[in-house]
Amino acid sequence: MIVTRFAPSPTGLLHLGSAYSALFAWDQAQRATGRFLLRIEDIDTVRCRPEHETAMREDLAWLGLRWEEPVRRQSEHRADYAAALDRLKAKGVIYPCFCTRADIARLASAPHGTEPIYTGTCRHLSAQDVAHRQEAGQAFALRLDSAKAAALTGPLEWRDLDRGVFKADPASHGDVVLARKDIGTSYHLAVTLDDHLQGVTLVTRGEDLLPATPIHRLLQALLDLNVPDWRHHKIIRDETGERLAKRRESPSISSLRDAGETPDAIRARLGF
Ligand code: GLU
């Protein structure tokens, strides 16, 4: 059975762009008489707010979406992410990184996708140096040793139902952060583990996240997780080509509702 999910980060109101993503996942489940889940990706406690979550849920329900309860809220599952990091540590594929944002900006090589590639400075620290820094209380992130990890898993593939089969080349993304200094986990780790734990069989999301998928495929192999299919949908833009994402000046679903738009009209406008 097909299981899809919409996994918003409650950092603001639901806008047309995120409503499209929700409807896309919901529609995929509906067509296949499958299951549709909602997951709240609120690991970033500074940017995410409970009131945004409440408002998003109201807007999604108003749009006619129904999801299964209980809703998984990532902030309540930190122990799962810590256990996964322990497993990765036991495999020797993560290392502490003490670099500051300024260090990274200075050292990073040419930008690739959304994140600059980390040059791997801390990958070469001696065990003694790491111990000293940790004893001195220096904050650290945990990074994936992508070359070592890829050597361990061997070649991997993943399937996008629209785009075909891809060879995963996670090493080309460098050593991504799996546990941020401030929150002890990361988008990559939490999203991959949760999709497995929730039995998601079809991951749908915007094509802006396409570069993240090889990293997730590598994590699945390292952690023995189920491998879903993917569909990366188009990004909704306004007439000027500007993205209708939640952080831009784009109409929120609640403002459209207040202006008298109906759920049917919004769904039709988005093609559902
Ligand atoms: N939480 C992510 C976001 O709001 C989506 C994650 C995903 O669908 O993989 O952009």
Side-chain angles (χ1 to χ4, degrees), residues 119-146:
T119 48
T121 320
C122 290
R123 197 192 315 129
H124 307 295
L125 293 179
S126 67
Q128 198 186 23
D129 197 353
V130 168
H132 280 151
R133 286 166 186 257
Q134 286 180 335
E135 275 158 32
Q138 260 191 47
F140 59 91
L142 292 171
R143 285 186 184 270
L144 178 69
D145 187 333
S146 55

Side-chain angles (χ1 to χ4, degrees), residues 12-13 59 73 86 103 108 111 126 142 185 191 210 221 240:
L13 292 171
D59 290 343
R73 194 175 289 113
D86 284 345
D103 292 336
S126 67
L142 292 171
T185 180
V191 82
L210 201 79
T240 68

Side-chain angles (χ1 to χ4, degrees), residues 16-30:
L16 279 175
S18 33
Y20 178 83
S21 204
L23 284 161
F24 189 93
W26 174 79
D27 181 61
Q28 291 293 303
Q30 292 285 107

Side-chain angles (χ1 to χ4, degrees), residues 147-188:
K148 203 167 166 191
L152 210 63
T153 63
L156 297 169
E157 291 187 337
W158 57 276
R159 184 165 62 148
D160 181 299
L161 297 185
D162 304 305
R163 293 171 167 82
V165 175
F166 287 78
K167 290 199 187 314
D169 183 14
S172 69
H173 298 270
D175 294 354
V176 292
V177 170
L178 292 187
R180 279 167 40 179
K181 280 181 187 174
D182 53 344
I183 56 176
T185 180
S186 65
Y187 160 66
H188 295 308

Side-chain angles (χ1 to χ4, degrees), residues 5 7-9 41 187 191 204-205 209 246:
R5 49 55 167 191
S9 304
E41 303 218 317
Y187 160 66
V191 82
T204 65
R205 59 184 175 215
L209 286 169
K246 51 200 162 197

